[in-house]
Amino acid sequence: QFRTDNISNAQSNGFELAIGIRPLPSISLRTSYTWLSTKIVAIDGTNSEVPSPYKVGEALIRRPQNQGSVSLTYIHQRLSGFFEAVFRGKVRDIEPSLGSFGGVFMAAGYRTMSIGGTIQLTPWAQVLARIENFSNTAYEQAFGFPAPGRTAMVGIRVITSR
């Protein structure tokens, strides 16, 4: 049992699974999955007392029951590239302007995808490019704080020591 100052007591259990394989020297595949079950339990010495607006037995806020990712990496001589997909299931959340006084509600889950790559120019310099959320998914990791839409980044990495 984990004790906190802001929610009284909580219990959680679940499992995580991560698998990585390399079917060819130039290709790596990785996947991960987490299943998590959380619940609010009563303040010590009581059967049903918890801070408002929470109720005994409810899941903790911002803790998805399901989340995971899949990624593919390709490396060939001076080039490398990647693809990554991430998903998170729905979560209980609170309205940030009102705090817990505004009540608790279910926030939608989301899926995002990113791609990118590098070109090794010299032993000490790389050009990098990536597009995060390339499907331009509208989502919020925490309610009231929208994540950026499609975001592109280009840069140069300079290695100064090894």
Side-chain angles (χ1 to χ4, degrees):
Q1 188 164 332
F2 177 73
R3 299 183 191 287
T4 64
D5 290 334
N6 61 346
I7 193 64
S8 304
N9 294 326
Q11 289 180 338
S12 66
N13 52 65
F15 69 87
E16 293 181 296
L17 175 66
I19 299 172
I21 62 171
R22 183 168 284 184
L24 297 170
S26 60
I27 296 176
S28 297
L29 297 165
R30 297 182 62 83
T31 187
S32 67
Y33 173 76
T34 301
W35 178 83
L36 180 65
S37 175
T38 65
K39 73 176 180 178
I40 297 168
V41 294
I43 295 172
D44 291 344
T46 72
N47 290 330
S48 62
E49 192 174 323
V50 294
S52 177
Y54 306 108
K55 295 180 179 76
V56 170
E58 289 182 324
L60 292 172
I61 63 168
R62 298 189 186 131
R63 298 293 180 261
Q65 187 173 22
N66 297 287
Q67 64 181 345
S69 66
V70 175
S71 66
L72 168 71
T73 305
Y74 175 77
I75 300 171
H76 180 71
Q77 297 178 355
R78 300 177 335 143
L79 304 174
S80 70
F82 77 91
F83 167 83
E84 180 181 52
V86 175
F87 79 91
R88 186 189 82 181
K90 63 185 178 181
V91 295
R92 295 178 70 240
D93 210 339
I94 57 175
E95 210 290 336
S97 299
L98 303 174
S100 59
F101 299 109
V104 178
F105 65 94
M106 290 304 291
Y110 60 85
R111 289 183 288 272
T112 65
M113 295 179 280
S114 299
I115 57 173
T118 64
I119 300 171
Q120 190 77 39
L121 298 175
T122 69
W124 50 269
Q126 290 179 335
V127 173
L128 339 135
R130 70 185 297 136
I131 300 173
E132 294 184 350
N133 191 10
F134 76 80
S135 58
N136 206 27
T137 302
Y139 70 99
E140 297 178 341
Q141 289 182 330
F143 183 75
F145 298 92
R150 184 178 303 116
T151 305
M153 293 171 259
V154 177
I156 296 175
R157 178 181 295 146
V158 176
I159 300 166
T160 58
S161 65
R162 288 193 187 231

